[in-house]
Each structure stands twice: as structure tokens, then as C-alpha cells.
């Protein structure tokens, strides 16, 4: 095994190693709370929304972009789903409308970045407020309770069909992860995302239509955000325009913990999934140990700092 292969293998296994270390550390703390099946079911359900959004964010970060508006877009998508259900639309139409709402958010971000040539950080920082404002506007700044037509059963930790073991949303998340992992590594869009993130100028010289590809990537991000918003509505059984504030930090942290580089050109869906699971596991174990919420926030905040610091350390070694 040559040095590059060994380095790639270590990078791929790093998120799983971090997860195992965290599991061991929490188990070592008295009274040594064990992870029961119900805990695992709860952790996986709590992972669904962040991981689905993070899969889209992986494409964005691999292409050297960022999307700070994801939390607001999820709130807008959840309100859209609630409004659609409240007006008696069939579930299938509601899902389509919600995904379209998310895709439009992604399209708007993509056009701002490519047509106006705004830095992704600035463009999505602006739409963070814009999407939240639209969500409050169409809901009159109040939560909208609506029938879920059984959608809430998809995110119950204990599924109604015992043979499923885990909630249907968890199986959907895992299936989606397989599709997105194959798309990232083997589709034209995935290869172009890596090419743009590694060196945009070289990708352009090689014939990659950079602007068009970026728009596609942000639309994909929007679609995943719309799906995450649908499950947000299912969990709360209402569309709340004030929900998911700060969720973008969890989503970005899951991608970075999963081994992606904020400089672009690196990342994996499996790593992202492990990163999202780690975030949920940390919260669940803090609750199991009876630690207050502010302790959870301090721990997760430093996990993000360590992940970004490790990314910067890798970059410095790469360019040394």
C-alpha cells in the first residue's frame, strides 16, 4: 500500500474512529449508561433531518461552496408542507410541493452565486434571513398545525410495523445515503463537484461548465433541504417558521466531522452520515447522563472547533 492510498484510507476511517472514541469516552463516565435499542432508535430518528440536509451540503462543500441558509430553508419547507396539508392536498402532491419549495431555495442561492458572482458565504447569509422572512410571511408568523396523513409515523422511534426495527424515515435516510454516495463518486455531477472544489480554474479549462454545475449542486442541496423540511413538519405535526434556527451549524459540522474540507475537493457521504450520527449521539448521551443543555452546547461547540482545526491542519500539511 503506497503512501497516498494509506492516507486516503486513514482519512476515510477517521470519522468512524472518532465516533468509536466518543462512544468509549461516554461509556467510561459513571454511571456508565448503556445504549439500549430505544436509545439507538431515538438517536437515528434525531439524525434524519440533519443527515438528509448534510448529504446535500456535502456536494456543496466538496465544490468549495457553503450554504448558511439551510436552517431557514427547512423552516420554509416545513411551513409549505403544513399549508399544503391544511388545504387538503393529497400527501403525494404535498411532498412534491415541499420538494419544489426547497429546490427553488437552492435555485435562488445558485443564481445569486453564479449570476451575481457573490461569494457563497455572503449570498446564503442573505438568503438565511430572506427564507426565514418568507416562511413568516406565508404563515402569518405563527405555527400552522395540519393533518399529517400518517407522515408523523415515519419519524416515530418505534415503528408501527415491528419488523422494520427502526423508523421508516431512518431506512429512507440510509437508502438515500447509498444513492447520494454513488452519485458523488460516480455521476458526472459528483465528479464535476470534486473538480471545481479542487481547482475551479483547471476545471474550467478542462471544459467543465462551472456556473451551470454550481446551480445544479445548489438545486440538489435545495431538494434535500425540502425533504428535511418535510420530516421537520412530520416530527412537529406543524409548520413552524421559527424552527431550525442554527441548524445550519449542525449540518455543516456533520459534513466537516465526516472528513470534508471547507476548502473543497474532499468529502464523502458515508463520513457525513457518521458525522450526523455523532452529533445526535452526543446530545443523547448528555441527556442520559443528566447534563444540562448548556453543557451539551459547550461540548458540541468544541467538537465543531476540533473538526475545523483538524481540517486546517490537514490543509497546512498539504501545502507545506
Amino acid at each position: 500500500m503506497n503512501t497516498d492510498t494509506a492516507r486516503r484510507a486513514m482519512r476515510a476511517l477517521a470519522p468512524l474512529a472518532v465516533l468509536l472514541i466518543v462512544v468509549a469516552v461516554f461509556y467510561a463516565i459513571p454511571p456508565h449508561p448503556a445504549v439500549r435499542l430505544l436509545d439507538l432508535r431515538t438517536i437515528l430518528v434525531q439524525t434524519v433531518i440533519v443527515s438528509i440536509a448534510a448529504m446535500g451540503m456535502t456536494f456543496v462543500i466538496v465544490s468549495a461552496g457553503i450554504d448558511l441558509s439551510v436552517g431557514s430553508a427547512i423552516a420554509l419547507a416545513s411551513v409549505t408542507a403544513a399549508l399544503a396539508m391544511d388545504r387538503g392536498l393529497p400527501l403525494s402532491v404535498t411532498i412534491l410541493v415541499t420538494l419544489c419549495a426547497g429546490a427553488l431555495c437552492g435555485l435562488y442561492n445558485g443564481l445569486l452565486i453564479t449570476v451575481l458572482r457573490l461569494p457563497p458565504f455572503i449570498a446564503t447569509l442573505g438568503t438565511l434571513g430572506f427564507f426565514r422572512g418568507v416562511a413568516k410571511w406565508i404563515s402569518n408568523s405563527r405555527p400552522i398545525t395540519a393533518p399529517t396523513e400518517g407522515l408523523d409515523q415515519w419519524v416515530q422511534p418505534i415503528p408501527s410495523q415491528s419488523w422494520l426495527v427502526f423508523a421508516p424515515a431512518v431506512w429512507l435516510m440510509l437508502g438515500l445515503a447509498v444513492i447520494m454516495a454513488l452519485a458523488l463518486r460516480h455521476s458526472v455531477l459528483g465528479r464535476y463537484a470534486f473538480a471545481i472544489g479542487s481547482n475551479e480554474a483547471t476545471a474550467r479549462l478542462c471544459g467543465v461548465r462551472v456556473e451551470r454545475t454550481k446551480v445544479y449542486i445548489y438545486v440538489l442541496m435545495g431538494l434535500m433541504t425540502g425533504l428535511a423540511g418535510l420530516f421537520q413538519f412530520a416530527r412537529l405535526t406543524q409548520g413552524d417558521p421559527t424552527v431550525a434556527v442554527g441548524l445550519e451549524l449542525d449540518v455543516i459540522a456533520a459534513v466537516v466531522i465526516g472528513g470534508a474540507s471547507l476548502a473543497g475537493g474532499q468529502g464523502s457521504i458515508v463520513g457525513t452520515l457518521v458525522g450526523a450520527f455523532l452529533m445526535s449521539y452526543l446530545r443523547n448521551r448528555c441527556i442520559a447522563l443528566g447534563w444540562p443543555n448548556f453543557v451539551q452546547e459547550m461540548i458540541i461547540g468544541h467538537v465543531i472547533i476540533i473538526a475545523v482545526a483538524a481540517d486546517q491542519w490537514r490543509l497546512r500539511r498539504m501545502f507545506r
Side-chain angles (χ1 to χ4, degrees):
M1 184 182 291
N2 59 39
T3 305
D4 289 342
T5 304
R7 190 174 296 170
R8 282 197 295 270
M10 288 178 63
R11 187 180 181 85
L13 293 174
L16 188 59
V18 172
L19 176 61
L20 293 176
I21 291 171
V22 170
V23 169
V25 167
F26 271 92
Y27 186 71
I29 299 174
H32 313 294
V35 179
R36 300 165 300 171
L37 178 59
L38 179 59
D39 292 324
L40 185 58
R41 285 168 163 167
T42 304
I43 293 170
L44 285 171
V45 165
Q46 291 172 342
T47 305
V48 168
I49 293 174
V50 170
S51 64
I52 289 176
M55 288 180 211
M57 186 70 81
T58 303
F59 275 75
V60 172
I61 289 180
V62 163
S63 68
I66 197 78
D67 186 354
L68 299 180
S69 67
V70 60
S72 298
I74 286 175
L76 177 57
S78 75
V79 169
T80 303
L83 285 172
M85 296 300 287
D86 190 49
R87 281 159 177 71
L89 295 181
L91 180 59
S92 57
V93 178
T94 296
I95 293 173
L96 184 62
V97 169
T98 307
L99 293 180
C100 287
L104 284 174
C105 291
L107 177 62
Y108 190 54
N109 281 333
L111 292 177
L112 288 177
I113 292 165
T114 56
V115 176
L116 297 183
R117 299 188 181 280
L118 295 176
F121 182 87
I122 300 299
T124 56
L125 184 62
T127 54
L128 179 150
F130 175 68
F131 296 152
R132 183 74 62 182
V134 173
K136 291 180 179 177
W137 173 41
I138 62 176
S139 63
N140 290 322
S141 298
R142 60 179 178 81
I144 297 174
T145 302
T148 61
E149 301 293 343
L151 200 59
D152 57 314
Q153 295 299 315
W154 281 59
V155 289
Q156 294 299 319
I158 301 176
S160 53
Q161 293 87 9
S162 59
W163 56 270
L164 280 175
V165 183
F166 300 113
V170 173
W171 292 113
L172 178 66
M173 172 189 73
L174 295 175
L176 203 56
V178 173
I179 295 171
M180 293 292 280
L182 291 174
L184 183 62
R185 291 293 172 184
H186 301 292
S187 73
V188 174
L189 184 65
R191 291 178 184 276
Y192 282 3
F194 277 107
I196 294 171
S198 299
N199 192 318
E200 184 173 325
T202 303
R204 201 184 299 277
L205 288 174
C206 292
V208 176
R209 295 182 175 180
V210 173
E211 282 73 23
R212 181 181 295 184
T213 304
K214 284 185 177 180
V215 171
Y216 289 159
I217 289 171
Y218 278 93
V219 170
L220 177 62
M221 172 79 229
L223 279 171
M224 302 301 283
T225 302
L227 185 58
L230 187 71
F231 284 124
Q232 182 70 60
F233 162 69
R235 280 188 66 187
L236 301 179
T237 66
Q238 63 179 14
D240 188 347
T242 62
V243 79
V245 173
L247 191 71
E248 56 275 0
L249 297 181
D250 283 4
V251 172
I252 294 170
V255 179
V256 175
I257 292 170
S261 171
L262 289 174
Q266 294 176 345
S268 74
I269 296 297
V270 174
T272 294
L273 208 58
V274 173
F277 181 84
L278 176 62
M279 303 285 284
S280 299
Y281 181 83
L282 282 171
R283 287 198 167 89
N284 182 276
R285 291 299 86 186
C286 287
I287 293 172
L289 289 168
W291 292 350
N293 189 56
F294 64 83
V295 175
Q296 300 177 34
E297 293 171 346
M298 288 191 293
I299 292 175
I300 292 174
H302 276 83
V303 168
I304 296 172
I305 290 171
I306 292 169
V308 174
D311 177 45
Q312 294 299 312
W313 177 73
R314 285 196 302 261
L315 287 175
R316 284 194 296 271
R317 287 197 61 186
M318 187 182 303
F319 293 108
R320 187 176 295 172

